[in-house]
Amino acid sequence: MNYAAVIAEQLGLGTRQVEKTIELLEQGATVPFIARYRKEVTGSLNEIQITAIRDQLLRLKELDKRREAVIASVREQGKLTPELEASLLAAATMTELEDLYLPYRPKRRTRATMAMERGLEPLANELQRQYSCDVEQLAAKFVNPDKGVASVEEALAGARDIIAERVSEDIRARNRVRAIFHRTAVLSSKVVKTKEQDAGKYESWFDWQEHAMRAPSHRILAMFRGEKEGLLRVHVLPRDDEPVYEALERQFVSGSHASSEQVLLAVHDGYKRLLEPSIETEYYNLLKEKADKEAISVFAKNLRQLLLASPLGQKRILAIDPGFRTGCKTVCLDAQGQLLHNETIYPFTSVREERAAIAKLEALVEAFHIEAIAIGNGTAGRETEEVVKRCRFKGKVIAVMVNESGASIYSASDVARREFPDYDVTVRGAVSIGRRLMDPLSELVKIDPKSIGVGQYQHDVNQTLLQDSLEDVVVSCVNNVGVELNTASRELLSYVSGIGPALADKIVEYRNREGAFHSRKELKNVERLGDKAFEQCAGFLRVRESDNPLDRSAVHPERYALVERMAHDMNATVEQLMQDKALRDKIKIENYVTADCGLPTLQDIMKELDKPGLDPRAKFEVFEFDKNVTRPEDLREGMILPGIVTNITAFGAFVDVGVHQDGLVHVSQMADRRVNDPNAVVHLHQHVQVKVLEVDLRRRRISLSMKGLGNQIN
């Protein structure tokens, strides 16, 4: 199979572009490297396009692998004709391939195979010709008690079973039924009568019907989860069977003889007993796959926004993991995120303890020259924020609520134990909260993305597909931002293009043994880090203390000589060229075009010389909740409140207004115009204004609106 041509047609890309991209992928190049440093080779394909090529290539290879197995199986049976082999080789999809293989697939004993064992296949053949008017006389020849055929009716029933199976395995029939399913299939669910008392959360789906192919992913996954829990019965079937029967009858019933009546009975039986369940399962799986992809796409978009959230930067942090009875775990971190001090304060046990806690916080801020305070947004978060606000610090100290989702997962992980072997999980959790404020990306890569809590139905979707998709997002974000070689953790380094966990360990071991790296070139001294790995990773790593200013930028070492030539032509050093915009403006980049370095790469180089190592993340902004609202009971309909977007789903966005219970802005309430994709309106951690529409304290539901409040739209 010409993979490049097939993929190019599927994705609407040039065949040459796809060919070259496949070559790079086969050579071990990563998606970020190809997108950033091989634009001339691919025709400037972006990460999304390159990822699509990679995924399509994997699917086509899986199809070919399955094709080889199918052909081998049919050949072993001695049934592989040249025509069948040609059809199998031409099959363009897994469905088409499996349909062709269906009659030859080894199967358990069916009613049809048992009928053939009793010698009834010739009778089935004769009936399908539909010439005979006297089927009883025809069937009488096959009555043989020794073979288990005791009567004419048993002979006819067995022959109909054979015909029914043929109907269910016929490619044209299957495609006709598929077409009807696609046009008219209804997704329906009903509560299991004996479980009605236990299925309250699925009340909306107790008696539900909608067009299957138009059903949104969150509804599909909700119903499928209810079925998995044994509380709902879900079906995907045509609204009316009559068109199906008509289509099959036109194909298989060609006369009006008595034998035609037998075929008609077989067609109806074949559809209801075999074909309908088979295609229903296929469409059930199709809906599940569609819903999974949509849910994973939402999760991936949310994760990208979370990972690329604004960093406060290298500041001295006091971090608090709040708690009422157990106290607030408090840690002090230096500007590199290293733990300097930890203790527990108890501001909520008594007035005396509250005063002691305030005094302690004031003392810690002064002793460790704290610049910012990070407060976990979980239980007691808002109350802890109020305690902090009552402190009187000598200098300016900002206090920030930090989303602590997944911090407990990190604190109990092997990564946390390796970092802090002498501290318990509470201290580790507080450290994680503080580091998240400094640099969300560096800290969140230590946690399984599924534990961060920014998706919908993440435990119901295809876990392999979810893991692969989320890993792509993490890799993309890490390489987009760039990594400081001398301070990055093992976990962060492992996501850099071309490195992975094993090489990340080797880099950290080298750094611990030899001290800080002085240049990118020194990476080549790391054990097992060869030329290929260096090519892939070097451009994404920064060495800010290097004597070579290009080591602080995203300019790849393979282009250093070119930049040095530019500087020489301007009678300047590379450092001067990077500092002097007037010098750079004099450069005519078209003069530096070569066979392997075109205008796209030269334009990227000039951008880097202008702002070397620029962090693509937005500038950090301090946010404050309404101080008069701390509990759901404080909310009133019509209130206008500040909030932070915490999660985005297909049906809307969840917003934290500071009451320990996120409110939902339904997609219909997100903007004054019609909205189809909530991600097109808001992004995670966006600061928004919301209006309270309804508060249901019993069901713990808060309905919000963003309409007419002047929120910035994506």
Side-chain angles (χ1 to χ4, degrees), residues 90-213:
T93 66
M94 197 69 81
T95 298
E96 187 179 348
L97 181 65
E98 295 297 344
D99 275 356
L100 288 165
Y101 182 45
L102 190 57
Y104 308 95
R105 183 201 297 273
K107 53 174 78 86
R108 59 179 176 78
R109 291 180 77 219
T110 63
R111 282 163 52 172
T113 57
M114 288 187 284
M116 285 189 276
E117 289 168 4
R118 297 199 301 271
L120 295 174
E121 189 168 14
L123 175 58
N125 294 340
E126 194 63 37
L127 289 175
Q128 275 196 278
R129 291 190 186 96
Q130 301 181 53
Y131 295 149
S132 175
C133 294
D134 193 343
V135 295
E136 292 190 1
Q137 183 180 357
L138 183 64
K141 301 174 186 177
F142 294 90
V143 174
N144 186 339
D146 293 339
K147 286 190 174 183
V149 184
S151 66
V152 165
E153 184 45 50
E154 282 189 18
L156 290 172
R160 290 197 300 271
D161 287 340
I162 294 170
I163 297 170
E165 187 164 280
R166 289 173 179 172
V167 168
S168 74
E169 293 178 349
D170 184 88
I171 290 179
R172 286 174 59 209
R174 295 180 72 82
N175 284 335
R176 282 174 169 162
V177 174
R178 281 192 188 103
I180 295 170
F181 263 74
H182 196 79
R183 288 196 310 272
T184 71
V186 171
L187 173 64
S188 64
S189 70
K190 289 187 179 295
V191 65
V192 176
K193 290 301 181 185
T194 57
K195 301 289 182 70
E196 195 165 348
Q197 297 300 318
D198 306 319
K201 62 182 177 180
Y202 296 109
E203 187 176 354
S204 299
W205 325 121
F206 278 11
D207 189 13
W208 182 268
Q209 286 191 352
E210 66 181 305
H211 192 289
M213 300 312 293

Side-chain angles (χ1 to χ4, degrees), residues 621-640:
E621 294 180 5
V622 177
F623 172 86
E624 289 188 2
F625 291 112
D626 187 314
K627 63 182 180 181
N628 298 314
V629 174
T630 59
R631 306 172 304 154
E633 290 80 3
D634 296 332
L635 297 175
R636 297 289 181 271
E637 290 182 18
M639 274 184 169
I640 308 295

Side-chain angles (χ1 to χ4, degrees), residues 417-433:
R417 281 192 290 272
R418 188 165 61 237
E419 282 194 279
F420 302 105
D422 300 324
Y423 296 94
D424 66 19
V425 293
T426 60
V427 174
R428 297 170 191 161
V431 170
S432 182
I433 289 168

Side-chain angles (χ1 to χ4, degrees), residues 16 60 148 156 199 214 234 268 301 326 346 348 396 477 487 546 561 657 689 699:
R16 179 74 173 165
L60 290 175
L156 290 172
R214 297 189 199 126
V234 178
H268 282 235
K301 288 176 184 175
T326 56
Y346 298 89
F348 307 115
K396 182 179 180 182
C477 291
T487 58
S546 173
V657 292
Q689 290 288 313
R699 301 171 73 186

Side-chain angles (χ1 to χ4, degrees), residues 343 345 352-366 387 390-393:
E343 63 179 279
I345 57 176
R352 180 181 176 184
E353 285 293 339
E354 180 185 330
R355 289 172 182 162
I358 289 173
K360 173 57 69 175
L361 290 173
E362 291 171 347
L364 290 174
V365 166
E366 183 173 0
V387 170
R390 289 199 287 276
C391 294
R392 295 182 178 180
F393 303 121

Side-chain angles (χ1 to χ4, degrees), residues 512-649:
N512 292 341
R513 184 178 66 249
E514 304 292 338
F517 285 89
H518 298 97
S519 68
R520 282 171 169 165
K521 185 169 60 176
E522 195 180 338
L523 270 169
K524 293 186 175 182
N525 297 334
V526 174
E527 183 186 356
R528 298 184 192 171
L529 200 152
D531 291 342
K532 188 67 180 178
F534 181 82
E535 176 191 64
Q536 294 291 308
C537 73
F540 301 106
L541 295 169
R542 312 280 183 265
V543 186
R544 305 209 184 277
E545 302 303 319
S546 173
D547 291 334
N548 188 336
L550 294 176
D551 280 351
R552 307 166 208 162
S553 74
V555 176
H556 197 282
E558 67 188 7
R559 303 300 177 201
Y560 282 9
L562 186 148
V563 177
E564 288 162 3
R565 197 174 116 218
M566 288 179 177
H568 178 268
D569 292 347
M570 293 294 109
N571 294 315
T573 65
V574 170
E575 187 89 55
Q576 290 169 334
L577 189 66
M578 295 173 75
Q579 293 174 353
D580 192 334
K581 186 177 186 303
L583 269 180
R584 293 194 303 275
D585 288 344
K586 294 177 183 177
I587 295 174
K588 296 182 178 179
I589 60 174
E590 58 269 19
N591 293 340
Y592 297 91
V593 172
T594 63
D596 68 338
C597 182
L599 287 175
T601 293
L602 289 166
Q603 288 163 351
D604 284 347
I605 289 172
M606 296 308 293
K607 287 177 185 175
E608 276 300 313
L609 296 180
D610 185 43
K611 294 180 179 177
L614 178 67
D615 193 324
R617 294 172 289 185
K619 186 178 178 182
F620 185 86
E621 294 180 5
V622 177
F623 172 86
E624 289 188 2
F625 291 112
D626 187 314
K627 63 182 180 181
N628 298 314
V629 174
T630 59
R631 306 172 304 154
E633 290 80 3
D634 296 332
L635 297 175
R636 297 289 181 271
E637 290 182 18
M639 274 184 169
I640 308 295
L641 300 169
I644 298 178
V645 178
T646 58
N647 198 2
I648 303 172
T649 70

